[in-house]
Amino acid sequence: MLNLLNVTFMGILRLIPSGIGEGLAWGILALGVYISFRVLDVADMSVDGTLALGGVVTAVLVANGTNVVLAILISVISGAVAGAITGLMHTKLKIPAILSGILMMFALYSVNIHIMSGKSNVSLLKQPTLLNLLSDWLQIDRSVINIIVFALFAALVIAAIYWFFGTKLGSAIRATGCNLQMARAQGIDTDSKVIIGLAISNGLAALAGSLIAQKDSNATVDMASGAIVIGLASIVIGELIFKKNLPFWAKLAGVIVGSIIYRLIIMLALQMPFAETYDMKLITAILLVLAMSVTVIKKRHHKKEAKHA
Amino acid sequence: MKKLFAIVIVATLLAVSIVILVGCNQADINVEIIQFGNFDALNSAAEGFTQRLEDWANEQGKTIHFEERNANATASNVAPSVQSAIANQPDLIYAIATPCAVNAAGNTTDIPVLYTAVTNPTGEGLVGQDNVYGTSDMNPVALQIELIKDLVPNVKKIAFLFCSSETNSVVQVGMAKVQCALMKIDTKDFAVSSASEIAQVVASIGEDFDAIYIPTDNMLANSISTVASANTHNIPLIVGEAGMIAGGGWATLSINYKLLGAQTAEIAIKLLSGQQVSDAERHQMYKGALELVISEDAKTALGLTSEQVTALQQKYGE
């Protein structure tokens, strides 16, 4: 028994680096989801398509000899364009946000296969991806490089979002998300703000997809299945740990921390002798329900206390 | 104005569809091919079949037209592909992989359906229907487990990696477990339900496993590079078919899908030339030789000499 515990414990310790790498890469997606769901208050499901789009575009470009930095850039732009189209469908064609997103996700499935010239996956094994190049150049193990690169990207993205939402345009987008009618009354063109917000959100999802494809050395048409739930889980866990009245940048960092913790919890759960790998979705769902209900329970508790006082 | 516009559109659509329909029916023999996904194995099965049939048609002085449809590895694409194939009323339908075969057999009782790359035709209910014929690609699972023992002589524990919703894989993993029990090897299932989970599930395979085994699983074939790069402990990765070697699999004993396709074409030739297909010939197992495929990286990692490789090739080649 002790031996078994020992094996499990050591196994978990060894898994932590891969969990952190995984959490950081998917954390960038969570930041994208945070912008649409929390800042903009639009339930956008396109990320399930744009994440794969980012991965697929990077994989195809790198496999055909394009510089990886350029490939990442093009991936982000393609994701942003897709996001903007979702925004156009929602604002100009008045299609409900959820449906616009789902339609975009649907359409991108075919588009992604087209980009891969009819195949459903493109391998990046031994290709000059950012991670492989750095790992060769610095002679550092891939799992360590993953963490360093993804952490840098996450920090960069947080800094960029923090700066952008402080600008005039960024503030207008936040106002649009806060109260659409009021923002409009203030003379803000809310439609264009929603479109720009969704472009940023999906650009980030594509960036995450690009990094995940490089981490996995593979891009597949189904690599993003369930991405939206993964993003939401990270946000909710982050919000649970980080208090509400924190500055904006700390909230963004909280999303990344939430994503890492989500991965570590899943990893821990998978190491338990009673859990099977196909329980991953069930564990995620339970985790989300728990995390979300804690806030409600806390609120009720506060109300009771307030009554007693 | 609007009405005129609508009429023009409808007329154009009609004209286009008539052109397409007429275009389809010009050959003497029309064959509809419905392929589940764009995987090396399935592509080879299609190639072997079409090549053999084309050769035969040339000998007979007939023209043959193949209409190829691909469901892009998505279950919901299968039914529409089958529907349009049947609507064209071809001379026969060639269905590659289980989902296509089951759907085609379920939707027509008059057009001959030839399946291939189906692991368990009896279990899928393909046996016993009058218009259904085909070849099974039942993987040499037991031999592949034996191969693991040859490559990793002190193997004690094997991780099975597969998609939980693919019946083919579940059947094969069951067979692999029987073989492992005979050889006194411990096993553990690592079932995956969607592609985005694969990296994490592979990372959770501990160092105490001596080998990872993947059966002929569509989802994992698609994500084999993900598996290879998440396999940080460098655990030997034995796979179900040769298509997975290029993406990072280490070794396999594999059915040659091109030969399997050609074998299926022999049944098609009998049908098209009006010969009787006996009950014994209706549903066939793979008859050709197995191929041992080992990647160069795996040879280095396993420390295999070229003599050892040759010896293995001779052992399994028959």
Side-chain angles (χ1 to χ4, degrees):
Chain A
M1 187 63 204
L2 199 70
N3 193 26
L4 180 83
L5 269 178
N6 201 19
V7 167
T8 315
F9 183 69
M10 291 308 289
I12 291 168
L13 270 190
R14 282 203 201 90
L15 279 175
I16 287 178
S18 95
I20 294 177
E22 202 76 26
L24 284 167
W26 285 91
I28 292 172
L29 162 80
L31 284 174
V33 175
Y34 184 86
I35 289 176
S36 59
F37 270 73
R38 284 288 189 260
V39 178
L40 210 54
D41 200 22
V42 172
D44 174 32
M45 311 271 284
S46 339
V47 290
D48 263 35
T50 44
L51 185 129
L53 177 68
V56 165
V57 168
T58 300
V60 169
L61 287 177
V62 171
N64 285 313
T66 311
N67 178 290
V68 64
V69 178
L70 188 66
I72 295 175
L73 213 68
I74 297 175
S75 302
V76 173
I77 295 170
S78 60
V81 169
I85 297 174
T86 307
L88 279 172
M89 286 199 277
H90 174 46
T91 54
K92 302 295 179 199
L93 304 180
K94 306 287 174 214
I95 300 170
I98 288 221
L99 193 57
S100 307
I102 292 175
L103 290 176
M104 179 47 76
M105 175 178 104
F106 247 66
L108 283 176
Y109 185 91
S110 308
V111 171
N112 287 338
I113 293 179
H114 267 293
I115 296 174
M116 295 189 281
S117 354
K119 291 202 302 179
S120 48
N121 73 317
V122 169
S123 171
L124 280 173
L125 272 188
K126 292 177 189 157
Q127 293 286 343
T129 63
L130 194 60
L131 302 169
N132 285 346
L133 287 176
L134 286 174
S135 168
D136 285 349
W137 182 47
L138 299 169
Q139 292 294 312
I140 302 177
D141 197 59
R142 260 290 300 274
S143 55
V144 182
I145 284 287
N146 283 0
I147 296 181
I148 297 172
V149 170
F150 296 160
L152 279 176
F153 265 99
L156 208 72
V157 168
I158 290 178
I161 297 177
Y162 182 67
W163 167 80
F164 176 76
F165 283 103
T167 63
K168 203 175 164 193
L169 176 61
S171 306
I173 294 176
R174 276 160 72 180
T176 305
C178 259
N179 189 332
L180 196 80
Q181 268 77 29
M182 187 58 101
R184 208 171 278 159
Q186 302 287 327
I188 295 174
D189 171 17
T190 53
D191 281 2
S192 70
K193 301 304 171 289
V194 169
I195 294 170
I196 296 170
L198 287 181
I200 296 172
S201 163
N202 285 288
L204 287 177
L207 173 63
S210 169
L211 296 179
I212 291 164
Q214 294 182 55
K215 167 179 75 64
D216 292 346
S217 308
N218 199 16
T220 67
V221 69
D222 52 0
M223 65 186 280
S225 56
I228 190 80
V229 182
I230 296 172
L232 281 177
S234 311
I235 295 172
V236 173
I237 295 171
E239 283 173 346
L240 195 66
I241 295 161
F242 283 60
K243 289 212 178 80
K244 271 247 157 89
N245 47 1
L246 280 177
F248 187 52
W249 63 266
K251 280 187 185 165
L252 296 175
V255 174
I256 297 281
V257 174
S259 171
I260 294 174
I261 291 175
Y262 165 72
R263 287 290 160 178
L264 292 177
I265 294 175
I266 294 265
M267 203 151 261
L268 206 69
L270 285 183
Q271 287 299 306
M272 296 297 133
F274 52 82
E276 295 292 339
T277 44
Y278 49 73
D279 290 333
M280 208 145 145
K281 288 199 166 78
L282 180 64
I283 296 169
T284 305
I286 294 176
L287 209 63
L288 255 173
V289 172
L290 278 181
M292 292 177 115
S293 54
V294 164
T295 359
V296 177
I297 293 167
K298 256 190 188 166
K299 255 185 207 158
R300 263 192 212 149
H301 188 68
H302 274 294
K303 267 186 194 161
K304 266 188 191 166
E305 272 185 355
K307 265 186 191 168
H308 284 299
Chain B
M1 191 61 204
K2 260 187 190 166
K3 245 186 197 166
L4 187 73
F5 191 59
I7 291 170
V8 168
I9 287 186
V10 171
T12 328
L13 281 177
L14 269 177
V16 168
S17 48
I18 287 170
V19 166
I20 291 174
L21 280 175
V22 169
C24 274
N25 289 327
Q26 273 169 355
D28 299 334
I29 303 164
N30 283 295
V31 176
E32 287 276 346
I33 301 182
I34 309 158
Q35 186 176 331
F36 181 61
N38 219 325
F39 315 128
D40 290 350
L42 305 189
N43 291 342
S44 307
E47 200 190 319
F49 181 84
T50 50
Q51 271 181 9
R52 179 68 192 99
L53 268 191
E54 254 165 15
D55 288 349
W56 171 80
N58 283 340
E59 281 167 24
Q60 303 286 317
K62 287 180 182 168
T63 55
I64 188 160
H65 173 76
F66 297 102
E67 186 68 39
E68 301 194 35
R69 297 169 199 276
N70 195 317
N72 279 313
T74 305
S76 54
N77 288 347
V78 172
S81 309
V82 170
Q83 299 297 352
S84 18
I86 292 174
N88 280 350
Q89 288 292 314
D91 295 295
L92 57 89
I93 294 174
Y94 181 46
I96 309 175
T98 307
C100 304
V102 171
N103 201 300
N107 280 301
T108 177
T109 47
D110 50 346
I111 304 169
V113 174
L114 275 82
Y115 65 83
T116 196
V118 173
T119 303
N120 187 7
T122 317
E124 303 291 351
L126 293 170
V127 176
Q129 193 175 324
D130 282 343
N131 64 327
V132 179
Y133 313 78
T135 53
S136 149
D137 68 342
M138 178 43 93
N139 206 23
V141 174
L143 288 174
Q144 286 169 354
I145 301 293
E146 227 182 291
L147 175 69
I148 298 181
K149 180 87 180 166
D150 283 329
L151 297 176
V152 191
N154 51 355
V155 54
K156 290 192 184 64
K157 213 171 164 193
I158 300 179
F160 292 139
L161 191 60
F162 60 101
C163 171
S164 45
S165 60
E166 290 186 29
T167 347
N168 279 345
S169 312
V170 178
V171 170
Q172 290 177 57
V173 165
M175 291 166 59
K177 278 182 188 160
V178 172
Q179 184 63 21
C180 285
L182 288 174
M183 296 168 73
K184 302 203 164 46
I185 300 171
D186 280 342
T187 66
K188 188 169 192 274
D189 286 358
F190 288 85
V192 180
S193 56
S194 65
S196 53
E197 294 172 0
I198 291 174
Q200 192 153 19
V201 167
V202 173
S204 75
I205 299 176
E207 263 175 310
D208 50 326
F209 285 92
D210 307 302
I212 300 172
Y213 175 70
I214 303 177
T216 53
D217 183 292
N218 287 319
M219 184 193 280
L220 281 145
N222 205 20
S223 294
I224 188 69
S225 296
T226 309
V227 177
S229 73
N231 180 17
T232 46
H233 299 313
N234 245 349
I235 303 170
L237 183 61
I238 304 341
V239 293
E241 43 106 1
M244 287 192 244
I245 300 292
W250 287 33
T252 187
L253 273 177
S254 166
I255 285 179
N256 183 327
Y257 276 83
K258 208 173 158 185
L259 290 181
L260 187 71
Q263 189 181 328
T264 321
E266 296 300 335
I267 309 179
I269 291 170
K270 281 206 159 178
L271 287 170
L272 290 171
S273 47
Q275 291 175 43
Q276 198 68 35
V277 178
S278 71
D279 281 348
E281 290 171 314
R282 244 170 197 281
H283 303 280
Q284 306 176 0
M285 300 283 279
Y286 174 61
K287 290 173 186 159
L290 291 173
E291 278 177 308
L292 172 71
V293 190
I294 305 181
S295 77
E296 289 306 315
D297 289 352
K299 282 179 195 164
T300 327
L302 294 164
L304 286 179
T305 62
S306 54
E307 290 86 42
Q308 282 170 308
V309 174
T310 324
L312 283 174
Q313 260 156 358
Q314 276 166 351
K315 177 179 173 190
Y316 292 108
E318 293 308 308

